[in-house]
Amino acid sequence: MLPINEQIFLAPFQPDDKAALIQYLNDPVLYANTLKIPSPYTALHADEWLQFVAGEKDAPGGICNWSIRHREHGLIGGIGCFLKTGLNGHVDEIGYWLAQPFRGQGIMTAVVQRFTQWMLEQRPALVRIEANVFPTNPASIRILEKAGFQQEGYHRKVHLKEGKYLDGVMMAISRES
Ligand SMILES: CC(C)(COP(=O)(O)OP(=O)(O)OC[C@H]1O[C@@H](n2cnc3c(N)ncnc32)[C@H](O)[C@@H]1OP(=O)(O)O)[C@@H](O)C(=O)NCCC(=O)NCCS
């Protein structure tokens, strides 16, 4: 468990998160701003996700994908890393989402700050963390900037989604040494 503030903490996903996943991930704004979350998000997608993250508990490096939880409301989001160059690699990438009712309260800024700090504490070989954001998502670029990420580049047609090539803004933070 990773505390964020008095109300919010990060913890492993739980089997009974299924209903909240289906409720919150069927969101056109969320779908428009992410690459890997399917739409419509079905019960089968939720089952597959919960099975995948349950398997992480026994993985050598432990959990990469955390649920964002509110003491009163339970599951409200997710944040994870992709293990781009493996657990002992020097580069990784993060992705995250927050349920619509909880946006605009500074929650994800605090979560990204704490989660990236935690990644650097846990993984001594890690020196660089990336986030690749659609240019149409200024809120995400802003939270990354507030968490210490810098905009490093504009990648044209870097993503392929529904047969369309989409641009990406490369945001990154590196370990101070
Ligand atoms: C993007 C997302 C994670 C932001 O989470 P959040 O908790 O609402 O963000 P915060 O409240 O911590 O901060 C949002 C910041 O963006 C700013 N912002 C919001 N909309 C903006 C806009 N249209 N233009 C510029 N800045 C904007 C806010 O003012 C705030 O900055 P400030 O504190 O300096 O005023 C959330 O909206 C979300 O999950 N969206 C859908 C999924 C997604 O986009 N995932 C990220 C993929 S890269």
Side-chain angles (χ1 to χ4, degrees), residues 136-151:
T136 46
N137 194 355
S140 190
I141 293 171
R142 179 78 190 119
I143 66 169
L144 289 161
E145 284 172 347
K146 287 195 290 177
F149 284 62
Q150 290 183 335
Q151 183 171 329

Side-chain angles (χ1 to χ4, degrees), residues 25 27-35 37 68 76-78 93-100 102-112 131-134 136-146 169:
L25 293 178
D27 167 1
V29 172
L30 196 150
Y31 179 67
N33 287 302
T34 53
L35 203 54
I37 298 174
I68 304 169
I76 60 166
E93 180 179 352
I94 58 168
Y96 44 83
W97 63 272
L98 191 68
Q100 189 277 331
F102 303 93
R103 292 178 195 154
Q105 302 168 32
I107 292 175
M108 196 55 90
T109 300
V111 167
V112 169
N132 211 313
V133 184
F134 292 143
T136 46
N137 194 355
S140 190
I141 293 171
R142 179 78 190 119
I143 66 169
L144 289 161
E145 284 172 347
K146 287 195 290 177
V169 178

Side-chain angles (χ1 to χ4, degrees), residues 49-118:
W49 174 251
L50 291 170
Q51 195 176 352
F52 171 74
V53 290
E56 278 193 335
K57 288 181 187 160
D58 303 320
I63 294 167
C64 287
N65 289 287
W66 294 78
S67 64
I68 304 169
R69 312 191 85 84
H70 189 288
R71 291 210 182 276
E72 196 181 328
H73 302 289
L75 176 74
I76 60 166
I79 188 164
C81 53
F82 300 145
L83 292 182
K84 247 183 134 170
T85 57
L87 256 186
N88 297 314
H90 79 291
V91 182
D92 206 350
E93 180 179 352
I94 58 168
Y96 44 83
W97 63 272
L98 191 68
Q100 189 277 331
F102 303 93
R103 292 178 195 154
Q105 302 168 32
I107 292 175
M108 196 55 90
T109 300
V111 167
V112 169
Q113 278 170 344
R114 182 69 190 101
F115 184 67
T116 51
Q117 178 193 24
W118 174 82

